Amino acid sequence: KAGVTQTPRYLIKTRGQQVTLSCSPISGHRSVSWYQQTPGQGLQFLFEYFSETQRNKGNFPGRFSGRQFSNSRSEMNVSTLELGDSALYLCASSLSGGNYEQYFGPGTRLTVT
Amino acid sequence: GDSVTQMEGPVTLSEEAFLTINCTYTATGYPSLFWYVQYPGEGLQLLLKATKADDKGSNKGFEATYRKETTSFHLEKGSVQVSDSAVYFCALKAAGNKLTFGGGTRVLVKP
């Protein structure tokens, strides 16, 4: 069974631009969560989508948004990029919630210049 | 709110040494507890988990016991290998599917 895939793996953008990251969950998984990893703040929860609905949201500004499609694939969008948005963005999928394990993708490394 | 505190690294060990990484948590209710490992350039891999008090999670020689009375979930391995060099994250999941992570502990094992 294929794991969680994220595209692109690396991205360089300029301040003020916007970016869209993609995540394909493990087949059959309906929950997709996004996390931001930075050296200063560590791993922080962005949001979770389940059956195309945002089910949970972390403490990030409205510039960070996401969506999930009917095939469970998810995208996250960051508008008006700032230097501080440079990070590794990780996607995780699970069957649902509760005690189901979350499986992480390799991440997308975003650099904002 | 929920939080996880783990010892800061880096932790440098010789091969076959004993490894302990301390982890304590604060959470409402009865969270599930996890250890994840991250190798250079990769995402997170689940190492082990425990879902209730006194549960012991184990995998690949690593163990951790859910201690409700001390709100701890310390990771141990009796004999580390060079291949265990990585960053280790303690995490909890209380309500919903949101993971709250500790700051990570870098472990370096020298031959």
Side-chain angles (χ1 to χ4, degrees):
Chain A
K1 192 183 259 191
V4 178
T5 58
Q6 293 186 246
T7 56
R9 290 293 311 276
Y10 303 91
L11 206 48
I12 300 175
K13 289 288 187 177
T14 305
R15 262 184 310 174
Q17 288 185 317
Q18 75 164 17
V19 67
T20 299
L21 311 182
S22 181
C23 172
S24 293
I26 292 171
S27 177
H29 286 193
R30 296 169 64 192
S31 168
V32 174
S33 298
W34 289 88
Y35 294 83
Q36 181 196 63
Q37 185 177 22
T38 60
Q41 299 299 316
L43 279 154
Q44 295 185 285
F45 173 79
L46 280 156
F47 30 64
E48 181 206 3
Y49 285 86
F50 179 79
S51 292
E52 302 178 64
T53 301
Q54 188 179 87
R55 191 159 68 171
N56 206 346
K57 188 177 187 306
N59 295 323
F60 279 82
R63 300 185 296 107
F64 292 81
S65 62
R67 59 178 176 168
Q68 187 180 34
F69 301 95
S70 58
N71 62 357
S72 294
R73 190 177 69 86
S74 177
E75 290 181 346
M76 69 162 281
N77 183 279
V78 188
S79 62
T80 320
L81 283 165
E82 299 176 1
L83 294 178
D85 297 333
S86 295
L88 180 67
Y89 290 88
L90 294 165
C91 163
S93 78
S94 68
L95 280 169
S96 176
N99 287 328
Y100 290 113
E101 296 175 14
Q102 292 191 40
Y103 295 85
F104 283 80
T108 293
R109 172 75 61 188
L110 172 64
T111 302
V112 182
T113 63
Chain B
D2 300 338
S3 67
V4 176
T5 303
Q6 60 181 104
M7 57 190 290
E8 289 192 24
V11 174
T12 304
L13 303 162
S14 296
E15 215 167 14
E16 298 184 4
F18 185 86
L19 170 68
T20 298
I21 304 176
N22 291 338
C23 170
T24 56
Y25 68 90
T26 302
T28 52
Y30 302 95
S32 295
L33 302 174
F34 305 84
W35 277 100
Y36 282 86
V37 59
Q38 186 175 37
Y39 297 100
E42 298 183 14
L44 301 175
Q45 296 178 27
L46 178 64
L47 185 57
L48 54 83
K49 69 176 185 180
T51 57
K52 61 183 187 297
D54 299 325
D55 264 2
K56 177 186 279 189
S58 61
N59 185 26
K60 298 180 182 178
F62 290 90
E63 292 183 342
T65 301
Y66 191 142
R67 300 288 187 199
K68 188 170 181 296
E69 64 276 11
T70 54
T71 61
S72 65
F73 192 55
H74 305 322
L75 182 68
E76 296 181 336
K77 185 175 186 183
S79 176
V80 294
Q81 305 300 313
V82 172
S83 57
D84 293 324
S85 297
V87 181
Y88 293 80
F89 292 92
C90 184
L92 69 82
K93 186 165 66 169
N97 213 17
K98 170 190 169 184
L99 286 166
T100 299
F101 288 91
T105 302
R106 183 175 301 277
V107 173
L108 177 60
V109 180
K110 296 186 174 181

